[in-house]
Every structure is written in C-alpha cells, then in structure tokens.
C-alpha cells in the first residue's frame, strides 16, 4: 500500500540512494539540499571531498545497480573507467613492483562529481522524486503518544528568504554527511547516541591533471606505497597515487598519516619529485595541471551508534556518513552510503513504515554492514602514536605490535594475493566488503596460502620485482 510523502535531508550519494528506496513505499519523495545542484559533473560546496579521488568498490556498484538499474554502464558511457586492480594497476610496494595478474574484482573510477552526477541523472528522471535546492534542514518535527515519539516532518531554512519553514512528512531520512546534526536532534528528544571515533590525522593532498598525448603507460592506476622504514625521508612515507578519471584526466594524490604535507602548488611539485621511485614524478612532469592543489583532513573515523538506541523515534533513520564515516584510504564510504539505500528498500518491504520495528531492523542491518569496513579502518589507525579517540589501543605491547606489524602484514597479504589465486579471491572479497577481515583471516585455505607464500618468499621466490612489469 503506497503512503503519501517522505523527505530526505541531503542530496548526495546516501540521500539519493535513500530517496530511490523510499519510492517503492511512498507516493512522493522530496530531497532537501543546501547546495544548488549542477546539471553537469561539477564540484560544489556541500561535498568538499569531491576534489579528491573516489573509487567505487564492487559492493557499492552492485548497490547502485540494484537501485538504479544500468548505473555502471551509464557511468562508463559518461567516461568512468572500470579497472581490474590486479591487471590494470602498477603498485610499488616497499620491496618492489607487483606483477600483473588478472582478477575477478572490478573497481569503478571516475571523478566524484561524475559519479554523483550520474546518479542524479537517474533521480531527475524519476517523477516521484523532487529536489528542493538551496535549503538547509534545521530540525525534526515530532509528536508523541503513550510515551512513543514519532517524527512527523522537518524544519528547514530557506536559502533566499532565510525563513524557517515546515515540511510535514510520513518518513524522514537524514543524509547530511559527516556534519549531520542528528545526534543533537536525538538529544533534544532525550536520546543519547554513543559515538565511537578514531582520528589518525590522515591528510589528502590532490591536484587534477590532464594527460598529455605521450602518456603511453600500460597501467591505468598507479599506487606508490609508503616505505617500510619509519625513518625514511618524509615523502617516501607518503602514499602516492595517480587516479584515472573521465576525459583523459587524472587526480594525483599524496597522503599520509599525521605527517606534514604540502600547502601550496610549489610545495606539491617539490614533494612529488621526491616521492619513492621515478614513475609518479615522471608522469606528473609530463602532464598539465588543471587545478590548484587541495587538502582534506576530513578523515576521522566516526560511528554514531544509532543501532544501540533502546527506543528510537519512529518514521526516521539516518544513513551514510551521517552515521558512519571512515578514514577514506580504503575507499569504503560511498559503498556504505549506497548499500544503506538497499537496506532501507528491503526493510520497507518487510515492515510498516510507521513502526519502530522498521527503524530497529534498519539500524541492526546497517550495523551489520558497517562492521566489516569499520574493522578494516580500525586495524591500522588505532596504533599510531598520534592517533586519538575512543578506539585507540592502550599503550603497551599490543599497541607496539600492531604499529610495527599491521602495515607490513597488509603489504605481505597484498603480495601473497599475487602468488595465490584463492588468497586473492578472498582478499578481494574482504576489500570489497563482501566479507569481513576476520572471515578472511579465519579461512584455513587462506592461512595455508599465506604460509606457503611466506616460505616461497623466504626462499627468494617472492613475486615482487625491481622493475615495473612490461606491458
Ligand atoms: C578525502 C576523501 C576521499 C574519499 N575517497 C573515497 C573513496 O575513494 N571511495 C569512497 O567510497 N568514499 C570515499 N570518501 C568518502 C565519501 O566521500 C563519503 O563516504 C560519501 O560521500 C558519503 O555520502 P553521504 O551522502 O553520506 O554524504 P556527503 O556526500 O558528504 O553528502 C552530504 C550532503 O548533504 C548536504 N547537506 C549537509 N547538511 C545539510 C543540511 N542541513 N540541509 C540540506 N543539505 C545538507 C550536503 O550539501 C551534501 O550534498 C572520501 C572522503 C574523503 C574526505
């Protein structure tokens, strides 16, 4: 039975995915967005992260294809690039270059504005969904009976007139990203939301380039991992990548956990020339910069535990970064944002939209989804001496072991995956959020493969090479 009207605050990945999910249950859906949304793939104020590289994992593509059938093909037709990370990427590990090996994983590369504009094109064609732009959601309207609170709409500030208005709705979704106010909206209703967080002070510096005609490398994606030696010169401790986007362009990124990073274009250029190996600098020197360098420090891991609220208000859920935002180094945020839409669609099929059981079931499935990426994000970040937050390791042996061996272990697994097809398959499943890291590390066949590669490497038969593989 179709209901009347639902409203979503925030018109980005999570907001549009949620709006699509709501359409199967509600007659109309309104998305309120603080920005004016461009017709083409352009950066905008409300998503400053869009200047930086955004890859879309398998699971995120599957979610978007489920909500917007044909999304991946459409994005590719608009210039997106589908990459086999085993075969199309040149990766420079601390001990050498990875070989080229075909794999089953496919990762979608495009600029973040392009990925978002492609979703928006689907949404704009859906007559059930309407955008109201240039307005800021400011709060929730609620009512209560028999001690049960339910959300009945929202308030918003009109961008032009600056007036606060009301929008009644039968269901409201908060998709306002990292800066969400839902925790304080809950507080106003007497509900405390526990927060887990961890800030490893990750900084991204990015600059967009156009490839010159003589860019004839076989690789589509270049990744230079940090040197193993923590005493290595500064730029050798950066992670550097050349990230392909549409229109023969790419984003060059340097990032670090807590280290000083370039502040200007000149410093960016000086730094890339000191990066590990010659390839990063060689390609950048041959290419044409299109933008200034941009920095992002919006990388704190934060999980607001809506799933632990004992009596959540009915007719309201929060999705995407508004609930859980990650250090983006593993590229998980958009995938979770889109997958939230699939969960919402599914729970709306099984529960009455006005019921509290729907809200509980939604948060429970959302928490299940978030477990894997959260675990991955925590593995390394919590052991840095400079990391701060509720999830840091206490000082002691465990912390020193994690700090010393996690990254080395991660590199080793990455390497072993090139030597053993089963390790590769399961590693990709964990990386693409189909399995947890725990599932991966508990798999006996994976453990056997890792041990076998350890012996192989100790016998001098490791897969890494001093030279980048030929085409
Ligand atoms: C440097 C960096 C690199 C990243 N790289 C990747 C990557 O490679 N892969 C990946 O999957 N993820 C990556 N992410 C994470 C990704 O950007 C987020 O996880 C994703 O955008 C979350 O989507 P969202 O819709 O929840 O929030 P957002 O995309 O942040 O959107 C929030 C929306 O709400 C609007 N809004 C905010 N407040 C209001 C209000 N009060 N009223 C109305 N509208 C409002 C904003 O304008 C915006 O449109 C990266 C993040 C950063 C910072």
């Amino acid at each position: 039975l179709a209901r009347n009207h639902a409203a979503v605050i925030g018109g980005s990945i999570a907001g549009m995915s949620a709006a699509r999910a709501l359409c199967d249950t509600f007659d109309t859906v309104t998305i309120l967005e603080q920005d004016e949304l461009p017709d083409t793939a352009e950066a905008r104020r409300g998503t400053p992260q869009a200047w930086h590289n955004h890859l879309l994992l398998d699971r995120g593509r599957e979610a978007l294809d489920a909500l917007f059938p044909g999304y991946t093909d459409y994005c590719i037709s608009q210039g997106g690039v589908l990459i086999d990370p085993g075969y199309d990427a040149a990766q420079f590990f601390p001990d050498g270059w990875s070989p080229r090996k075909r794999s089953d994983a496919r990762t979608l590369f495009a600029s973040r504005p392009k990925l978002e504009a492609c979703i928006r094109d689907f949404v704009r064609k859906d007559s059930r969904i309407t955008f109201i732009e240039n307005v800021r959601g400011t709060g929730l309207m609620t009512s209560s009976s028999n001690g049960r609170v339910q959300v009945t709409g929202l308030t918003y500030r009109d961008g032009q007139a600056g007036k606060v208005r009301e929008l009644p709705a039968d269901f409201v979704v908060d998709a306002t990203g990292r800066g969400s106010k839902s925790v304080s909206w809950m507080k106003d209703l007497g509900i405390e939301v526990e927060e887990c967080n961890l800030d490893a002070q990750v900084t991204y510096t990015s600059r967009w380039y156009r490839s010159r005609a003589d860019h004839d490398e076989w690789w589509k994606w270049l990744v230079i991992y940090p040197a193993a030696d923590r005493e290595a010169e500064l730029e050798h401790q950066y992670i550097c990548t050349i990230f392909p986007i549409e229109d023969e362009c790419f984003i060059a990124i340097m990032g670090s956990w807590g280290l000083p990073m370039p502040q200007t274009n000149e410093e960016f250029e000086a730094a890339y020339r000191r990066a590990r190996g010659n390839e990063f600098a060689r390609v950048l020197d041959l290419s044409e910069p299109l933008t200034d360098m941009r920095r992002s420090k919006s990388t704190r891991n934060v999980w607001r535990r809506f799933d632990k609220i004992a009596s959540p208000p009915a007719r309201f859920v929060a999705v995407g970064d508004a609930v859980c935002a990650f250090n983006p180094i593993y590229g998980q945020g958009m995938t979770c944002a889109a997958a939230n839409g699939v969960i919402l669609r599914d729970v709306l099929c099984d529960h009455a939209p006005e019921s509290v059981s729907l809200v509980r079931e939604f948060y429970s499935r959302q928490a299940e989804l978030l477990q894997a990426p959260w675990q991955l994000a925590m593995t390394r970040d919590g052991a840095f001496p400079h990391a701060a937050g509720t999830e840091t390791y206490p000082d002691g042996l465990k912390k020193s072991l994690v700090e010393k061996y996690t990254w080395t272990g991660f590199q080793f697994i990455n390497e072993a995956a090139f030597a053993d097809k089963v390790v590769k398959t399961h590693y990709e499943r964990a990386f693409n959020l189909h399995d947890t890291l725990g599932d991966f590390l508990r798999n006996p066949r994976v453990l056997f493969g890792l041990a076998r590669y350890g012996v192989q490497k100790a016998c001098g038969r490791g897969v890494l090479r001093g030279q980048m593989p030929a085409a």
Side-chain angles (χ1 to χ4, degrees):
L1 184 68
R3 304 296 202 292
N4 217 359
H5 172 238
V8 178
I9 321 173
S12 177
I13 313 280
M16 290 189 286
S17 300
R20 176 63 197 85
L22 291 162
C23 278
D24 293 343
T25 303
F26 296 92
D27 294 338
T28 55
V29 179
T30 308
I31 303 179
L32 291 97
E33 167 54 49
Q34 65 183 0
D35 283 348
E36 185 168 327
L37 296 167
D39 290 331
T40 52
E42 282 167 38
R44 57 192 179 84
R45 271 184 63 184
T47 53
Q49 72 270 37
W51 290 105
H52 304 275
N53 56 322
H54 271 69
L55 57 79
L56 188 63
L57 301 173
D58 277 4
R59 189 156 182 199
R61 267 196 312 114
E62 286 163 17
L64 288 172
D65 280 335
L67 294 166
F68 307 101
Y71 173 79
T72 301
D73 290 345
Y74 178 62
C75 190
I76 292 169
S77 77
Q78 299 300 304
V81 191
L82 205 54
I83 282 186
D84 173 345
Y87 193 70
D88 298 325
Q91 302 185 56
F92 190 34
F93 290 99
D95 297 337
W97 290 94
S98 63
R100 291 183 83 183
K101 274 250 165 96
R102 290 193 193 279
S103 75
D104 297 330
R106 294 290 179 273
T107 310
L108 185 57
F109 284 62
S111 70
R112 163 60 195 250
K114 177 66 77 179
L115 291 169
E116 200 184 299
C118 288
I119 305 178
R120 207 158 50 232
D121 287 348
F122 278 85
V123 173
R124 281 196 168 132
K125 281 193 201 123
D126 193 326
S127 57
R128 297 164 298 180
I129 306 176
T130 310
F131 284 105
I132 305 184
E133 298 166 45
N134 294 312
V135 295
R136 278 189 67 78
T138 50
L140 298 176
M141 292 154 58
T142 57
S143 72
S144 81
S145 75
N146 297 331
R148 279 245 160 263
V149 178
Q150 62 172 4
V151 171
T152 56
L154 57 94
T155 55
Y156 67 95
R157 190 176 295 280
D158 187 312
Q160 262 110 51
K163 278 198 177 136
V164 175
R165 299 175 192 276
E166 292 188 344
L167 181 69
D170 301 299
F171 201 91
V172 176
V173 174
D174 173 19
T176 53
R178 276 181 182 268
S180 159
K181 296 282 182 289
S182 267
V183 169
S184 64
W185 294 345
M186 291 299 112
K187 203 172 184 149
D188 293 343
L189 298 172
I191 298 168
E192 288 296 328
V193 184
E194 181 189 330
E195 179 179 299
C196 303
N197 57 59
L198 176 55
D199 187 359
Q201 292 174 30
V202 171
T203 305
Y204 273 54
T205 57
S206 305
R207 195 174 189 191
W208 293 33
Y209 286 82
R210 184 183 309 285
S211 301
R212 293 248 162 85
D214 42 11
H215 176 96
D216 57 358
E217 295 74 28
W218 60 264
W219 52 263
K220 295 181 180 153
W221 180 26
L222 177 73
V223 188
I224 313 287
Y225 290 102
D229 179 6
R230 297 289 295 276
E231 303 302 314
E233 65 181 279
L234 180 65
E235 291 79 5
H236 284 205
Q237 295 184 56
Y238 291 170
I239 185 163
C240 305
T241 165
I242 290 183
F243 183 96
I245 57 171
E246 59 279 3
D247 302 332
E248 302 295 315
C249 297
F250 64 83
I251 309 178
I253 303 106
M254 288 182 279
S256 84
W257 279 263
L259 297 172
M261 297 297 296
Q263 310 271 346
T264 62
N265 291 341
E266 291 69 32
E267 286 177 15
F268 187 87
E269 285 170 20
Y272 80 59
R273 294 199 176 103
R274 291 195 291 265
R276 283 183 66 231
N278 302 324
E279 192 65 357
F280 191 62
R282 188 184 72 78
V283 174
L284 264 58
D285 277 341
L286 284 174
S287 306
E288 174 197 355
L290 295 176
T291 65
D292 287 334
M293 184 215 80
R294 309 266 176 165
R295 268 158 45 102
S296 174
K297 288 185 159 214
S298 291
T299 57
R300 187 174 84 114
N301 299 287
V302 54
W303 186 356
R304 297 158 185 143
R305 303 302 307 252
F306 285 84
D307 56 305
K308 295 194 172 172
I309 302 175
S311 293
R315 299 175 184 260
F316 170 80
V317 294
V319 295
D321 276 17
V323 174
C324 188
F326 307 96
N327 163 7
I329 202 90
Y330 306 106
Q332 314 182 107
M334 292 188 301
T335 288
C336 292
N340 274 203
V342 175
I343 296 174
L344 184 58
R345 188 192 60 182
D346 292 349
V347 296
L348 280 164
C349 283
D350 298 341
H351 297 262
E354 63 277 11
S355 66
V356 182
S357 65
L358 178 142
V359 178
R360 288 216 177 88
E361 180 65 16
F362 175 80
Y363 285 134
S364 155
R365 290 205 211 169
Q366 185 190 55
E368 225 170 88
L369 164 82
L370 294 171
Q371 210 63 52
W374 185 255
Q375 199 181 56
L376 201 58
M378 292 302 105
T379 44
R380 179 141 197 257
D381 285 7
F384 281 99
H386 62 259
T390 61
E391 307 302 298
T392 49
Y393 290 91
D395 287 339
L397 182 64
K398 186 170 176 192
K399 180 169 176 162
S400 351
L401 289 176
V402 174
E403 193 200 348
K404 197 153 176 213
Y405 294 114
T406 311
W407 195 235
T408 327
F410 173 71
Q411 305 282 331
F412 174 76
I413 293 169
N414 236 325
E415 244 184 272
F418 281 100
D420 187 312
K421 179 101 175 75
V422 179
V423 173
K424 189 161 194 61
T425 303
H426 287 277
Y427 181 57
E428 281 164 3
R429 284 190 61 76
F431 206 78
N432 281 286
L433 308 184
H434 291 295
D435 296 334
T436 66
L437 202 56
D439 296 332
F440 173 77
L441 291 171
R442 280 191 296 270
N443 181 319
R445 176 58 186 82
V446 166
L447 293 176
F448 168 75
L450 293 176
R452 186 169 62 180
Y453 181 69
V455 174
Q456 193 179 321
K457 190 171 171 164
C459 297
R461 289 187 291 115
V463 294
L464 301 185
R465 294 287 173 265
Q467 299 294 321
M468 185 195 288

